[in-house]
Amino acid sequence: MSTHIGAAPGEIAETVLMPGDPYRARWAAETFLKGARCINEVRGMLGFTGTWRGHPVTIHGSGMGMPSLSIYANELIRDFGAKTLIRIGSCGGMQAAVKVRDVVIAMSASSVSTPSSTIFRELNFAPVADYGLLRAAVAAAEAKGLTPHVGGIYSSDTFYDERDDIAAEMTRHGVLAVEMEAAELYTLAARHGARALAVLTVSDHLQTHESLPAKDREQSFGDMVEIALEAAFD
Ligand code: HPA
C-alpha cells in the first residue's frame, strides 16, 4: 500500500499499462487479461492485475495531466517496483498528415513544464521513449496493418489552452500531436531506470477540428492495448 495505491505488496506487476481513464483500465483488464482482479480503487483510480500470455500485467489509470500521472507512476515505480510503463491514450493531431484514428508512437515529448521541471533549472531535459519498446510497438502496429506515426509529441499542461502560439510553434517544429502525460512519464522512467513508452490514437485534430466518432474509440483503444502488450513482451 502506498499513499495513493491501495494494493498489497506483490499485487502490482513489473509491466504496467496506463490509460488516463480508470474505466478504460477496467475494460482493458476484463477484455485482454486472464484472471484480472482489482488491486486499487483509492479515489476511484482503478488498477487491475492479471496475466497476458502467462505474463503478469497491471493496467492502472493515470488520470489526466502530468501532476496526476506523476503521482501514480512515482508510486508504481518506487513503491511497487514497476519496470515497464506504457501509456495508452488519445492525442490531438498537429500535422496535416496525422489524421483522426491514426496511431502515434511518441519518440520524445516536449513540454512547457512538467512536475519534474524544478529539478532541471537551466537544463532543457529531453524526455525520450525506451528504444526497445518503441521499436517493438512499431512492429506490433505494422503487424496489425496500421501505419503508425513515430516522432515527437507535445505534453501540454492545459487542454483548454489560451496560448494558441505554443501549439503553433510545436506544429512548425514537426511535432506530431498533443496530449498531457508522456513527458513526465518518460522523465520518471529515466530517473528510476525504468522503460517507458506512449502509444496514442488521434482522437481529434487541432487544425481540422475533426474528432473520432464514439463508436470507433473502443476499437482504437483495443488496438493500443494489444500494441502495448506485444511491445512489453517482445
Ligand atoms: N489537447 C490535449 N490533450 C489531448 C488533446 C488535445 O487536443 N486531444 C487528446 N488529448
Side-chain angles (χ1 to χ4, degrees):
M1 165 123 202
S2 60
T3 308
H4 301 91
I5 300 177
E11 280 190 324
I12 289 182
E14 288 191 356
T15 299
V16 184
L17 270 48
M18 299 189 78
D21 178 352
Y23 294 118
R24 282 279 161 101
R26 177 160 65 202
W27 180 84
E30 287 171 353
T31 306
F32 294 98
L33 302 187
K34 281 212 177 102
R37 57 191 191 84
C38 184
I39 48 78
N40 185 36
E41 47 187 350
V42 175
R43 290 175 181 248
M45 189 51 74
L46 305 175
F48 300 82
T49 297
T51 61
W52 181 77
R53 296 185 186 164
H55 303 287
V57 173
T58 295
I59 306 183
H60 195 290
S62 70
M64 290 180 281
M66 290 185 272
S68 178
L69 174 131
S70 186
I71 288 170
Y72 296 108
N74 258 295
E75 293 180 21
L76 288 164
I77 296 170
R78 299 190 330 180
D79 298 322
F80 291 98
K83 301 219 174 329
T84 297
L85 299 96
I86 304 180
R87 163 164 160 67
I88 44 179
S90 61
C91 63
M94 299 180 94
Q95 302 292 333
V98 177
K99 313 274 191 214
V100 164
R101 239 179 243 98
D102 285 358
V103 172
V104 172
I105 300 179
M107 195 148 64
S108 67
S110 301
S111 67
V112 170
S113 69
T114 75
S116 296
S117 295
T118 51
I119 67 175
F120 291 118
R121 298 169 191 258
E122 68 271 44
L123 280 172
N124 283 312
F125 177 73
V128 293
D130 177 83
Y131 180 63
L133 285 179
L134 180 96
R135 201 167 52 164
V138 172
E142 287 174 349
K144 286 178 148 306
L146 302 168
T147 306
H149 302 274
V150 183
I153 63 163
Y154 167 46
S155 297
S156 175
D157 289 332
T158 49
F159 189 89
Y160 300 105
D161 202 336
E162 297 291 324
R163 287 267 313 269
D164 291 347
D165 57 313
I166 297 176
E169 279 306 337
M170 291 285 125
T171 300
R172 191 164 80 94
H173 286 84
V175 168
L176 300 173
V178 55
E179 52 83 76
M180 298 184 67
E181 291 83 15
E184 173 69 359
L185 179 64
Y186 287 6
T187 302
L188 289 174
R191 189 179 311 151
H192 297 292
R195 306 193 300 164
L197 182 68
V199 179
L200 308 163
T201 298
V202 181
S203 62
D204 52 80
H205 199 286
L206 266 61
Q207 284 103 27
T208 65
H209 303 295
E210 198 193 341
S211 69
L212 188 63
K215 66 175 174 48
D216 294 350
R217 286 179 191 249
E218 192 166 290
Q219 172 67 43
S220 64
F221 185 71
D223 285 345
M224 289 190 287
V225 175
E226 288 176 329
I227 291 167
L229 289 168
E230 299 272 1
F233 300 107
D234 179 57

